[in-house]
Amino acid sequence: MSSPGGQGGGALSTRGGAGARRMKWALELSLGNTRRDRQGGQGDAMYPIGYSDKPVPDTSVQETDRNLVEKRCWDVALGPLKQIPMNLFIMYMSGNTISIFPIMMVCMMAWRPIQALMAISTTFKLLESSSQQWLQGLTYLVGNLLGAALAIYKCQSMGLLPTHSSDWLAFIEPPQRMEIMGGGMVL
Amino acid sequence: MSWLRYSFAVFLYLLQCTDAVFEDQVGKFDWRQQYVGNVRFAFFDTHSQASKKLLVATEKNIFASLNSRTGELFWRHVDKTGPEGNIDALLVHGQDAVVVVGDGRVLRCWETNIGGLNWEVLLDTGSFQSAAFIGVQDFVKYVAVLKKSAISLHYLSNGHQKWVENLPDSDTVQYQTVYSGGQGEVLVLGLVPNSHIVIVSYNIEDGEIMEQMSVEAPWMSSLEESCVVVGRGILLCIDPITLSLYTLPLNLEEKAEMNQILLQSLDLEVSSGFQPLLTATQPNPARPPLTAFFLQLGPEHHILLDLSDGIITALRDFKPSRLATFATTGEKTVVGVMAPKNETACSINLFTVDTGRRLLDTTVIYHLDPSGGKPNKLHIQAFLKKDDSVGYRAMVQTEDFALTFLQQPGRVVWSREEALADVITMEMVDLPLTGTQAELEGEFGKKAAIQDGLFAMVLKRLSSQLILLQTTIGHLWKLFYDARKPRSQVKNEVTFETLSRDEFNLQKMMVMVTASGKLFGIDSKSGSILWKHYLENIQPDSAFNLMVQRTTAHFPHPPQCTLLVKDKETGLASLHVFNPIFGKKSHISVPALPRPILQTLLLPLMDQDYGKILLLIDDQYKVTAFPSNKNVLQQLQESASSIYFYLVDSSQGRLSGFRLRKDLSSELIWEVVIPVEVQKIVEVKGKRPNEHVHSQGRVMGDRSVLYKYLNPNLLAVVTESTDTHQERSFVGIVLIDGVTGRIIHDAVQKKAKGPVHFVHSENWVVYEYWNVKSRRIEFSVLELFEGMELYNSTVFSSLDRPHPPQVLQQSYIFPSPISTLEATLTEKGITSRHLLVGLPSGAILSLPKMFLDPRRPEMVSDQSREENLIPYAPELPIRAEWFINYNQTVARVRGIYTAPSGLESTCLVVAYGLDIYQTRVYPSKQFDVLKDDYDYVLISSVLLGLFFATMISKRLAEVKLLNRAWR
């Protein structure tokens, strides 16, 4: 038996753990047996299936846990907003010249919120357990949108956005001639 | 500091523009051909047997020496154009060649071996009559120059004048010939037309008149045309009216009379209407002329006669014979006669001069070029063989200015097409696809699909694929084979069989029209002449207009060019329609043009065979269409209301615009008169029809757009003032819309003088003039902009343009006079433009248009820097690496032709004048091609290495993963 919170933590850990993804398949019958595997020296005793040498956490829902979950969810929701001051600072530092580093910064700044917005459903699932789920979701969304807006603003100030008429100049077709004209000096 | 910044910016630009050839690229893309023009005088250097020099003086005022074994130039001296540099006479003796230039202005003596100048003297004024060597006791010591009223004698060794004497009664007597028999006498022969001959004898030492006598000759009108000196000082004249020969001993003391001998008494008959001609020879100026002479009795009839002791005997009758000439080697003089053999060949034979006997084994067969002119001069280079018999080589000059050098028994050693020294106009035509490519095209043509069934189509497809594979393998094999040989040995023989379009369409056919009426098809890669066609009966001053009606893009229809030739005198024009790839005359019926043609107009409309429609405008402003069939007429009727044309009559200063009516007549819709008393129209230029402009505007520093005023109907008219006083002279430029006649802009450059050279392209006009006040050449550039907004971005109609364009102008100083001006042209117009400036020195300068930009700021700002504008500096630089023809100077460059290639970066350039030079230019460098020195080996080895490294590391990673999983 495991709590929903624990389940959530497990999901997070598999997402974060890149090592687990490498394997084509893995039979994980007990939590933490990977770590033990790594530690595993000689003379490892074979445990029965389902046995864990760690104490099984107490799964009974407690009030403090609920608060913790709430707090954790708020952390997740406010993450993007917290990044904005940092981004502003980076923006200021990188300047408006077009060279490889400012471009990389801008790309990263733009990519992170977009990535987060694309994975928003998983984040929402994460927040499901919270009571202020909708508020948190909105905050998360707004934070990411703000981040994206900031990236766009940076692009704009760097002149990377096709907002001027000159950016569309190459697409103007030469006008069609209505009259045919020719002639010259009398031969 | 800011100054430093400017110079840095300029430096960066110059760095960017640097576009010179590397040493190993010399001759790789470019070639030059040097010409001398139509030969007027030709002498073989006979003073040594092994000499292979041929000295020629030409109508283009050029004195040159050709290698008689190869036809190449040893050296060439290009004199001034026009009458000032005209070569009046050429006398060759030993290693000295004496030339009289510019109607007796200058007397020069050249050393014939290396072409160095021995001496040069300026002569007194007076129109030149004749010049001769004067020999004393077997030794040629002096040159006598006869002018209208004076005779002067110069030392041959240093040119110093020995004496100069006025001629007696020079206002009534026309002195025409000077003669010396090598006995130390100087005889001047003059004539009072239809009255008498005057003979004046001068003392060679002090120029005193020793003797003067006059002989009645009431029938004579010109001494030079009808008289020669034969034998020991006997004047022999022919009277074409009475058909008789007259002889007169020149050294008689007492009063003499001319002795008349009727031609009939010699059993000679002159063909009717033919002016009989006498030809004599004086092989050595220090000896009297030979007694033998030629009498030409008809266009194909010569007779060799001999005059000794007052008796004329016929040595040999040459009938038929086209040309006859004397040739001397050592002590022997022979006669070369060209006789027609059959329709396509002539035979040249040698005869002895004293008996008229034919020399054995001296026949040379000369094959007439079916696409060339008739022979009109024969030059014989005779030499003594080891067994003391006479051998010879012959040079035939034809009326199409070609020189053919023949060797026994008729092998053409070399030939030169001197007509190419005077190219009038040219076009470059794409080469056709190869046979296999054409077959593929044909396979998928509509016609084929209808004819054949499915199965036949599949078979055809397979076979054509097989052929394609075969040619590809052949091509690769050739590439491999050629790569192993050194480059100089790889011969690119171009024939019609191998003629095909290359990958990037860099090789094209150059169709050149020359003033003599000869057309040439020249391969642009190698410069070899692939076809030639001589149009007969072209008047010397005709106007030519060459148009490409159908390109090679419309297989299986052959490409088609049309040449309009207009005779200046009668005004009548004729059309010559031909295939520009093979030079063959097309069988298309050409419309009869009974009325003088004023102009032509090549419409962008096509008939059902994909040929562009050509309109010919006659002097009643009626239009004739060519081709003219139902389909064409219907198309013309449909679009008649949108066809306009303009005519410029420079003599009346009138520009007039017309519109086509449905019945192919036209109505005058506008007229602009520029008063001829004040200024005259020099030239009018529209835009080139094949010009593409990629960018419709220019990006400003603040990233807004300044749109270009791209009026396809805009005409630039250049006028010059008739008043040439330096305070009042001016040059005017008027920009007129050719449809509406609306004057868009006019500018007057005060205190300026022509000749004006200008280029009109895109939205700019660049013109060049002489600033009289500051005495320098100046460039001025006009650019037209529509403004920050486009009035109508989809359609351009001259009739609906309410807003006048903004005009910007700037002028610059150019440190050299120029001969011609042209702009580069590329396929899509993305590449930046350069101006190609032909300089009188023969160099061709590729000047970036960026330097001629009226938006160049005087003060640099951030915006102008953003726009990459170079700060304004009045002087335009000339940098040595901008000369696209390095040391291959083009003498007297008269025109530059530019054509786009298949590569956007590359523009083909042909400069023509006296020489022809072809090259490629890359105004924005070769951005679409890998460089020549690109390291293929390194790149491919790195790629391969990386590939294997990934493969290996992948395998290793897999193994490691597996191992870890098993742990």
Side-chain angles (χ1 to χ4, degrees):
Chain A
M1 246 191 96
S2 65
S3 72
Q7 255 181 5
L12 269 175
S13 80
T14 47
R15 207 160 53 94
R21 217 182 269 167
R22 279 254 185 90
M23 318 215 175
K24 292 246 166 82
W25 57 270
L27 183 68
E28 199 168 327
L29 295 169
S30 61
L31 279 170
N33 88 343
T34 43
R35 196 190 293 162
R36 205 174 45 84
D37 227 15
R38 219 164 278 151
Q39 290 167 343
Q42 64 274 36
D44 242 347
M46 289 293 282
Y47 295 114
I49 288 172
Y51 174 83
S52 169
D53 60 346
K54 271 187 181 170
V56 177
D58 186 5
T59 53
S60 60
V61 180
Q62 291 167 12
E63 193 56 34
T64 47
D65 284 356
R66 203 166 279 286
N67 280 343
L68 266 175
V69 165
E70 205 86 328
K71 210 178 160 197
R72 181 89 190 85
C73 287
W74 270 117
D75 271 356
V76 171
L78 286 175
L81 274 177
K82 279 180 189 155
Q83 269 178 1
I84 285 176
M86 183 63 187
N87 279 352
L88 276 170
F89 180 69
I90 292 172
M91 258 171 71
Y92 171 71
M93 290 305 285
S94 60
N96 278 346
T97 48
I98 296 180
S99 60
I100 182 82
F101 281 104
I103 293 281
M104 270 164 63
M105 301 281 181
V106 168
C107 283
M108 242 147 71
M109 274 168 61
W111 182 237
R112 222 182 286 156
I114 291 168
Q115 209 178 16
L117 287 176
M118 286 199 300
I120 203 154
S121 54
T122 35
T123 319
F124 268 42
K125 214 177 264 172
L126 208 79
L127 300 175
E128 254 171 22
S129 56
S130 163
S131 56
Q132 290 164 311
Q133 183 192 352
W134 291 113
L135 190 63
Q136 280 162 352
L138 197 70
T139 321
Y140 185 78
L141 187 73
V142 168
N144 276 319
L145 285 177
L146 267 177
L150 212 59
I152 288 171
Y153 170 73
K154 180 67 185 170
C155 282
Q156 158 81 14
S157 60
M158 280 172 80
L160 293 176
L161 292 187
T163 50
H164 290 88
S165 47
S166 58
D167 299 317
W168 304 96
L169 183 64
F171 301 99
I172 302 178
E173 289 290 312
Q176 199 193 339
R177 270 180 90 161
M178 290 306 283
E179 295 95 9
I180 300 168
M181 191 218 55
M185 293 274 238
V186 170
L187 286 177
Chain B
M1 186 63 201
S2 61
W3 195 89
L4 246 173
R5 214 183 267 167
Y6 295 170
S7 49
F8 184 68
V10 170
F11 171 75
L12 271 183
Y13 267 99
L14 301 186
L15 209 70
Q16 225 173 53
C17 304
T18 305
D19 186 27
V21 280
F22 290 102
E23 197 181 345
D24 62 332
Q25 288 179 320
V26 165
K28 203 173 168 192
F29 316 116
D30 59 326
W31 49 263
R32 177 180 65 163
Q33 287 169 355
Q34 290 187 303
Y35 294 96
V36 292
N38 188 20
V39 172
R40 186 180 286 163
F41 306 107
F43 285 98
F44 287 103
D45 185 8
T46 49
H47 85 275
S48 83
Q49 287 291 328
S51 174
K52 37 186 186 177
K53 274 190 291 300
L54 165 65
L55 297 169
V56 290
T58 69
E59 286 172 0
K60 290 260 163 200
N61 306 349
I62 284 153
F63 180 50
S65 170
L66 301 176
N67 184 340
S68 63
R69 302 285 195 281
T70 61
E72 281 159 14
L73 281 176
F74 277 128
W75 47 261
R76 179 177 76 169
H77 293 290
V78 181
D79 210 329
K80 291 175 182 163
T81 49
E84 229 182 322
N86 189 36
I87 296 176
D88 302 313
L90 169 65
L91 305 167
V92 179
H93 177 74
Q95 295 200 0
D96 297 320
V98 176
V99 178
V100 186
V101 177
D103 200 18
R105 189 174 54 91
V106 187
L107 184 68
R108 287 198 190 108
C109 178
W110 299 97
E111 208 276 336
T112 56
N113 277 332
I114 52 165
L117 183 68
N118 283 341
W119 48 262
E120 178 185 68
V121 282
L122 283 175
L123 298 177
D124 298 336
T125 51
S127 76
F128 172 80
Q129 297 296 328
S130 108
F133 281 127
I134 308 293
V136 183
Q137 289 145 5
D138 271 11
F139 191 67
V140 179
K141 245 177 138 176
Y142 309 106
V143 185
V145 178
L146 180 71
K147 295 214 169 184
K148 195 171 183 325
S149 58
I151 175 164
S152 57
L153 203 68
H154 298 263
Y155 289 98
L156 181 61
S157 53
N158 55 17
H160 290 191
Q161 185 175 293
K162 189 172 169 74
W163 48 260
V164 57
E165 289 296 327
N166 283 326
L167 296 163
D169 310 321
S170 59
D171 42 350
T172 51
V173 184
Q174 297 173 5
Y175 290 96
Q176 288 177 345
T177 323
V178 58
Y179 161 75
S180 164
Q183 311 298 314
E185 77 278 36
V186 180
L187 291 169
V188 177
L189 309 179
L191 170 79
V192 178
N194 304 319
S195 171
H196 59 272
I197 301 174
V198 178
I199 301 163
V200 187
S201 169
Y202 283 91
N203 186 331
I204 200 161
E205 291 306 322
D206 52 6
E208 215 175 296
I209 296 179
M210 308 228 303
E211 230 176 292
Q212 190 179 353
M213 60 177 183
S214 67
V215 181
E216 292 293 313
W219 49 269
M220 197 187 285
S221 58
S222 168
L223 200 70
E224 272 201 326
E225 280 173 25
S226 50
C227 293
V228 289
V229 179
V230 182
R232 296 200 167 270
I234 294 163
L235 185 71
L236 183 74
C237 301
I238 186 146
D239 176 13
I241 315 279
T242 58
L243 297 177
S244 49
L245 289 166
Y246 288 86
T247 57
L248 173 73
L250 290 172
N251 46 5
L252 268 189
E253 256 118 68
E254 65 270 22
K255 204 165 165 67
E257 277 203 354
M258 295 192 102
N259 182 19
Q260 186 182 15
I261 305 161
L262 283 171
L263 286 180
Q264 267 180 330
S265 69
L266 299 166
D267 281 340
L268 299 177
E269 209 172 309
V270 178
S271 29
S272 60
F274 188 78
Q275 178 105 11
L277 271 176
L278 285 168
T279 322
T281 182
Q282 188 176 11
N284 187 345
R287 306 253 178 86
L290 297 182
T291 53
F293 61 94
F294 269 117
L295 175 61
Q296 190 180 2
L297 296 166
E300 292 212 342
H301 188 193
H302 292 76
I303 185 159
L304 183 67
L305 300 168
D306 186 80
L307 173 70
S308 36
D309 306 327
I311 301 155
I312 293 177
T313 47
L315 293 178
R316 194 175 179 117
D317 194 356
F318 300 107
K319 190 176 185 182
S321 61
R322 281 209 176 141
L323 300 165
T325 185
F326 291 101
T328 303
T329 172
E331 296 295 308
K332 280 191 179 171
T333 300
V334 288
V335 171
V337 176
M338 179 191 270
K341 202 173 168 212
N342 52 38
E343 287 291 296
T344 59
C346 289
S347 64
I348 304 168
N349 279 298
L350 280 200
F351 301 86
T352 59
V353 76
D354 28 344
T355 56
R357 185 173 53 83
R358 197 174 86 87
L359 292 169
L360 290 173
D361 302 328
T362 57
T363 309
V364 165
I365 304 293
Y366 170 66
H367 291 279
L368 290 170
D369 188 355
S371 57
K374 292 190 194 81
N376 61 0
K377 248 184 204 171
L378 179 67
H379 305 274
I380 299 281
Q381 182 190 25
F383 54 86
L384 287 176
K385 288 182 186 164
K386 276 181 188 142
D387 57 350
D388 216 30
S389 62
V390 180
Y392 76 109
R393 301 180 192 98
M395 186 173 78
V396 183
Q397 196 180 337
T398 47
E399 58 188 359
D400 56 343
F401 303 170
L403 297 177
T404 313
F405 197 77
L406 300 156
Q407 211 175 27
Q408 280 176 306
R411 189 171 72 86
V412 176
V413 185
W414 51 263
S415 62
R416 287 180 71 88
E417 292 291 349
E418 291 302 338
L420 282 170
D422 206 353
V423 175
I424 298 286
T425 177
M426 66 168 290
E427 284 288 343
M428 268 186 164
V429 184
D430 293 352
L431 289 177
L433 304 165
T434 54
T436 43
Q437 281 169 311
E439 195 165 314
L440 275 181
E441 289 252 329
E443 181 194 346
F444 301 114
K446 274 181 196 162
K447 281 181 190 168
I450 296 164
Q451 281 168 13
D452 305 328
L454 188 69
F455 185 66
M457 284 283 278
V458 170
L459 271 186
K460 220 176 184 181
R461 174 67 192 246
L462 284 176
S463 68
S464 57
Q465 290 286 359
L466 262 179
I467 294 167
L468 213 61
L469 185 74
Q470 195 184 338
T471 48
T472 312
I473 290 169
H475 183 72
L476 283 177
W477 171 246
K478 192 173 173 291
L479 264 185
F480 175 70
Y481 198 74
D482 283 351
R484 285 165 38 197
K485 282 195 270 183
R487 183 179 291 155
S488 56
Q489 283 182 19
V490 178
K491 258 196 192 168
N492 281 318
E493 281 283 309
V494 181
T495 53
F496 284 126
E497 286 75 43
T498 59
L499 202 63
S500 67
R501 197 182 301 179
D502 59 342
E503 233 175 323
F504 299 125
N505 202 4
L506 289 165
Q507 187 180 6
K508 294 199 182 196
M509 180 66 88
M510 296 158 53
V511 180
M512 293 189 135
V513 181
T514 63
S516 63
K518 196 165 188 183
L519 312 181
F520 291 92
I522 299 177
D523 167 46
S524 78
K525 198 175 180 186
S526 62
S528 50
I529 297 170
L530 293 178
W531 59 263
K532 46 201 170 191
H533 185 90
Y534 180 58
L535 302 172
E536 279 172 45
N537 306 323
I538 297 284
Q539 296 306 309
D541 201 24
S542 300
F544 295 93
N545 206 344
L546 179 67
M547 290 145 291
V548 183
Q549 277 199 289
R550 191 192 298 130
T551 61
T552 33
H554 305 289
F555 186 84
H557 298 286
Q560 182 182 323
C561 269
T562 305
L563 178 71
L564 178 100
V565 187
K566 185 181 170 183
D567 189 340
K568 273 272 160 70
E569 270 177 31
T570 59
L572 291 177
S574 59
L575 287 178
H576 174 69
V577 185
F578 60 99
N579 180 334
I581 304 300
F582 302 104
K584 284 195 195 91
K585 196 173 177 196
S586 165
H587 298 296
I588 294 172
S589 63
V590 170
L593 304 169
R595 300 211 59 88
I597 295 298
L598 296 184
Q599 248 309 336
T600 59
L601 175 57
L602 192 66
L603 300 180
L605 308 172
M606 288 188 188
D607 67 353
Q608 73 274 25
D609 291 337
Y610 307 102
K612 285 183 187 165
I613 301 167
L614 180 69
L615 298 185
L616 303 153
I617 301 142
D618 67 16
D619 62 343
Q620 289 179 331
Y621 310 111
K622 283 224 169 64
V623 167
T624 316
F626 169 71
S628 166
N629 51 40
K630 219 174 176 182
N631 178 304
V632 168
L633 293 177
Q634 194 188 338
Q635 271 198 58
L636 278 179
Q637 275 193 358
E638 277 166 17
S639 51
S641 58
S642 65
I643 296 174
Y644 297 80
F645 59 90
Y646 70 96
L647 292 171
V648 181
D649 192 345
S650 167
S651 59
Q652 293 172 18
R654 192 165 55 206
L655 293 107
S656 30
F658 299 84
R659 182 162 69 181
L660 196 68
R661 286 209 194 107
K662 283 196 194 315
D663 59 346
L664 295 189
S665 63
S666 59
E667 57 180 326
L668 183 72
I669 52 171
W670 59 268
E671 193 169 54
V672 173
V673 178
I674 289 170
V676 265
E677 302 84 51
V678 185
Q679 49 187 327
K680 70 172 206 292
I681 300 169
V682 185
E683 219 179 335
V684 180
K685 271 188 196 167
K687 284 172 188 166
R688 289 181 64 165
N690 57 347
E691 177 184 278
H692 292 276
V693 184
H694 182 258
S695 180
Q696 299 296 303
R698 284 191 57 172
V699 182
M700 303 282 96
D702 60 355
R703 301 180 62 203
S704 59
V705 177
L706 188 58
Y707 289 99
K708 294 174 184 172
Y709 180 75
L710 295 168
N711 184 347
N713 308 321
L714 194 66
L715 307 174
V717 183
V718 168
T719 61
E720 276 175 35
S721 63
T722 44
D723 190 349
T724 52
H725 186 271
Q726 66 162 20
E727 284 295 314
R728 294 187 293 272
S729 68
F730 63 89
V731 164
I733 181 147
V734 189
L735 302 180
I736 293 186
D737 189 301
V739 170
T740 58
R742 183 178 176 191
I743 294 177
I744 306 285
H745 180 71
D746 66 330
V748 168
Q749 214 79 42
K750 278 183 187 152
K751 291 176 186 155
K753 225 165 75 172
V756 179
H757 299 95
F758 72 110
V759 180
H760 179 198
S761 171
E762 287 190 28
N763 64 329
W764 48 264
V765 181
V766 172
Y767 58 102
E768 171 269 356
Y769 52 88
W770 170 252
N771 186 328
V772 184
K773 195 182 165 201
S774 313
R775 297 182 188 180
R776 62 193 183 200
I777 297 286
E778 289 186 357
F779 264 105
S780 201
V781 56
L782 281 172
E783 270 191 37
L784 292 94
F785 291 101
E786 206 155 292
M788 292 304 189
E789 269 166 37
L790 273 181
Y791 174 70
N792 186 344
S793 63
T794 50
V795 163
F796 191 98
S797 168
S798 289
L799 302 169
D800 177 33
R801 282 278 138 173
H803 311 298
Q806 302 168 7
V807 183
L808 303 175
Q809 184 163 20
Q810 224 170 46
S811 297
Y812 312 88
I813 305 165
F814 192 67
S816 162
I818 77 165
S819 318
T820 184
L821 196 63
E822 188 54 78
T824 59
L825 192 69
T826 50
E827 181 85 22
K828 299 268 179 244
I830 299 168
T831 308
S832 60
R833 309 290 295 271
H834 278 204
L835 289 176
L836 299 171
V837 188
L839 305 181
S841 64
I844 296 162
L845 184 78
S846 176
L847 182 70
K849 167 72 179 56
M850 190 162 62
F851 280 93
L852 292 156
D853 182 352
R855 302 194 64 256
R856 279 174 72 175
E858 279 177 46
M859 296 296 296
V860 182
S861 64
D862 277 343
Q863 295 221 341
S864 70
R865 205 173 298 132
E866 188 84 1
E867 243 185 284
N868 287 337
L869 292 175
I870 313 165
Y872 179 73
E875 296 90 3
L876 289 176
I878 291 187
R879 315 203 132 239
E881 62 267 26
W882 289 353
F883 292 127
I884 56 171
N885 54 345
Y886 44 106
N887 64 353
Q888 308 278 301
T889 51
V890 186
R892 289 190 196 152
V893 54
R894 210 178 46 243
I896 297 175
Y897 179 87
T898 52
S901 71
L903 283 177
E904 172 54 32
S905 65
T906 309
C907 168
L908 303 175
V909 177
V910 181
Y912 54 88
L914 190 61
D915 302 340
I916 296 173
Y917 179 74
Q918 191 276 141
T919 190
R920 301 170 193 170
V921 290
Y922 319 101
S924 301
K925 292 199 175 176
Q926 281 184 285
F927 56 82
D928 47 5
V929 190
L930 290 180
K931 274 189 188 135
D932 262 359
D933 52 356
Y934 187 78
D935 205 338
Y936 291 97
V937 179
L938 183 76
I939 295 290
S940 43
S941 57
V942 165
L943 271 178
L944 274 176
L946 281 177
F947 176 72
F948 285 116
T950 5
M951 296 297 283
I952 292 164
S953 54
K954 191 184 172 193
R955 175 85 193 126
L956 288 177
E958 273 171 6
V959 169
K960 200 174 176 188
L961 267 177
L962 191 65
N963 284 344
R964 204 165 62 182
W966 274 112
R967 202 168 287 155

